[in-house]
Amino acid sequence: EVQLVESGGGLVQPGTSLKLSCVASGFTFSDYWMSWVRQTPGKTMEWIGDIKYDGSYTNYAPSLKNRFTISRDNAKSTLYLQMSNVRSEDTATYYCTREEHNMGIYWGQGVMVTVSS
Amino acid sequence: DIVMTQSPSSLAVSAGETVTINCKSSQSLLSSGNQKNYLAWYQQKPGQSPKLLIYLASTRESGVPDRFIGSGSRTDFTLTISSVQAEDLADYYCQQHYSYPLTFGSGTKLEIK
């Protein structure tokens, strides 16, 4: 059974950094593109970016490219999202997904990030 | 970026009725290479993560009931739910998977009367 478990969220202050993790199981992690998608409290869905199965290539939403970095450790079956200089508008639930043909086929349960002073 | 415009934002129907949700893209999602439309639909039930229902505009994901029907081409797409059931209470989102950055519609909230 495919499982994606995100962690690392919580309450953070504006201007700080945060790193989210997503541990995958139930499939060969190194065979798949992976992505991060976020959903704001108002339910808006925003694709953040994705990373190639070997970690050699990434794509990002242009508005987030300068502050967010996606990486992976295939030996640990773990996907990461490094968020820097966070803002109140980054408050959202963050999901990791296993991508196929640019679609989120499997989604984690999500992790909440609240940016507030 | 491709802008996805979804309508209506919400609707309420009685069980057994048919529902239509619309999604319009700001540019064509039709690939000239394989003549396929790169449009997906997701269902998000209360308190759950999104679940893929339909991809390539009309292909149902494995296990999705056949009352969920995707249609459309180029820039205009529709998700039809025939004979709505109480368990279909959810938010529905379209997403273009044609080009980067991938983009979503604003969502449609389906309520059951």
Side-chain angles (χ1 to χ4, degrees):
Chain A
E1 179 194 5
V2 172
Q3 283 201 317
L4 301 169
V5 180
E6 302 96 337
S7 63
L11 176 63
V12 294
Q13 294 201 333
T16 61
S17 297
L18 186 68
K19 190 170 187 176
L20 305 182
S21 300
C22 169
V23 176
S25 60
F27 65 100
T28 303
F29 182 71
S30 57
D31 284 350
Y32 293 91
W33 285 71
M34 299 292 294
S35 72
W36 288 96
V37 176
R38 68 183 183 181
Q39 185 172 35
T40 68
K43 301 285 195 75
T44 298
M45 298 282 289
E46 182 176 23
W47 177 84
I48 296 169
D50 61 12
I51 185 167
K52 193 175 179 180
Y53 44 82
D54 61 359
S56 64
Y57 196 78
T58 50
N59 296 289
Y60 293 96
S63 62
L64 300 174
K65 184 172 184 174
N66 291 338
R67 297 189 298 118
F68 288 14
T69 302
I70 297 173
S71 61
R72 64 193 296 162
D73 184 336
N74 285 347
K76 295 181 178 180
S77 296
T78 303
L79 176 72
Y80 301 101
L81 176 65
Q82 177 71 52
M83 305 165 59
S84 64
N85 189 24
V86 297
R87 308 165 180 168
S88 58
E89 52 263 39
D90 296 322
T91 294
T93 297
Y94 286 74
Y95 295 98
C96 75
T97 87
R98 190 183 99 179
E99 268 192 0
E100 292 177 33
H101 305 294
N102 293 344
M103 299 175 293
I105 304 296
Y106 293 96
W107 296 60
Q109 86 288 350
V111 61
M112 288 191 63
V113 173
T114 302
V115 182
S116 175
S117 54
Chain B
D1 300 5
I2 298 177
V3 177
M4 306 300 292
T5 302
Q6 199 172 329
S7 63
S9 57
S10 65
L11 70 167
V13 300
S14 300
E17 293 185 2
T18 294
V19 162
T20 299
I21 299 170
N22 302 298
C23 182
K24 180 182 280 285
S25 57
S26 61
Q27 60 191 78
S28 176
L29 305 182
L30 178 64
S31 168
S32 59
N34 59 12
Q35 291 300 298
K36 294 185 184 295
N37 288 280
Y38 285 74
L39 188 283
W41 290 96
Y42 296 86
Q43 176 193 61
Q44 185 178 32
K45 293 185 176 180
Q48 296 185 15
S49 306
K51 169 191 170 185
L52 178 67
L53 288 178
I54 287 170
Y55 59 97
L56 294 174
S58 61
T59 303
R60 271 187 297 274
E61 178 71 337
S62 175
V64 173
D66 58 9
R67 66 178 182 275
F68 290 91
I69 301 166
S71 62
S73 184
R74 298 184 182 273
T75 62
D76 291 278
F77 301 91
T78 299
L79 174 67
T80 300
I81 311 172
S82 59
S83 190
V84 167
Q85 301 184 9
E87 66 198 51
D88 300 333
L89 167 72
D91 294 327
Y92 293 86
Y93 295 88
C94 60
Q95 180 224 327
Q96 62 85 10
H97 56 114
Y98 179 80
S99 68
Y100 288 112
L102 310 179
T103 47
F104 289 85
S106 54
T108 296
K109 184 180 186 66
L110 175 62
E111 297 176 315
I112 312 299
K113 292 178 186 174

